[in-house]
Amino acid sequence: MFDSDQIVYLNGEFIPLGEAKVSVLDRGFIFGDGVYELIPVYAGEPFRMPHHLARLQRSLDGIGLTNPHTDAQWEALVRALVGRQPFADQGVYFQVTRGVAKRDHAFPTDVVPTVFMMSNRLATPSREAVDRGVAVVTAEDNRWHRCDLKTISLLGNVLMRQLAADHGAVETVMFRDGFLTEASASNVLIVVDGGIVVPPKDNLILPGITYDATMEFAREAGIPLTVRPVPKAEALAADEMWLSSSTKEVLAITTVDGKPFAGGRPGPVFRSMWEIFQAKKPKAH
Ligand SMILES: Cc1ncc(COP(=O)(O)O)c(C=O)c1O
């Protein structure tokens, strides 16, 4: 359940979730016409906020929607919302839709975008999930060809995530035309011969902030890194396979389609990267 007293932000106001209401003509509701972001917050401090705001701008540009706020205004809103929640670690979710208008596919003119923000407790993976790794299933990627935009039109991803849930797995790893893309709400990285290999940030995957962070940390640590298309057969025979996202951080995959993967245990490169990641997170002071 959710807490209807939790303070959220809607169109200029901080109000209880139970009082936050949007018109049924909002284009987010009617068409899924909007974009979103999720920023992890550790010990009250947002992690990589400039990267998230840059991706928000990219998503807004991609759907032809003017950013309703400057980065400084977004930062102030994020910090104000975070300050109104009782949790140290949070996930700030925010979305911008094209606003409320008579139903017509073409963009309306002179419409004010709808801005909604909420911040929940950040549920990072349990120690058990980190130590044992997690299960995934695989599927052909049947989503549209603009997976690089973080849009709220998430039905393709929702159906993929449900496929995983139906099989007691945490994610569905997807392949398109024989190559690895990503998972329903995470990027996917593999390890081959001690080096990390990742698919390129093209139109078929979301440019993950955690994917970028992981690559940056790998470079600093001297872990070899290759960006190139990853054939399905190579991914399924890799030494390690990981998920990355703002809520999962990095998480090893140890079961694929019901069978043990890569010896059924998180590998050494994963364990190093997980330690590095923990050390990089903002700490309480
Ligand atoms: C489809 C998809 N890919 C990748 C990611 C990972 O992105 P990030 O690391 O910025 O959270 C997400 C995050 O929600 C996602 O929904």
Side-chain angles (χ1 to χ4, degrees), residues 36 38 52 55 143 150 157 182-187 206-211 244-247:
Y36 76 107
L38 186 131
H52 284 276
R55 185 173 64 185
R143 301 171 303 158
K150 202 164 170 62
N157 302 61
E182 58 178 348
S184 76
S186 338
N187 289 111
L206 187 78
I209 306 302
T210 320
Y211 163 115
S244 81
S245 82
S246 294
T247 51

Side-chain angles (χ1 to χ4, degrees), residues 173 180-183 186-190 198-199 241-244 253:
V173 171
L180 174 66
T181 55
E182 58 178 348
S186 338
N187 289 111
V188 179
L189 304 84
I190 65 166
V198 288
M241 190 170 6
W242 315 341
L243 299 168
S244 81
I253 294 169

Side-chain angles (χ1 to χ4, degrees), residues 3-21 81 84-85 116-117:
D3 172 11
S4 56
D5 293 330
Q6 177 186 351
I7 298 298
V8 300
Y9 173 90
L10 180 63
N11 297 330
E13 286 183 299
F14 289 96
I15 50 175
L17 178 59
E19 290 170 25
K21 301 276 190 290
L81 186 64
R84 283 169 164 82
Q85 318 300 323
F116 171 61
M117 308 175 75

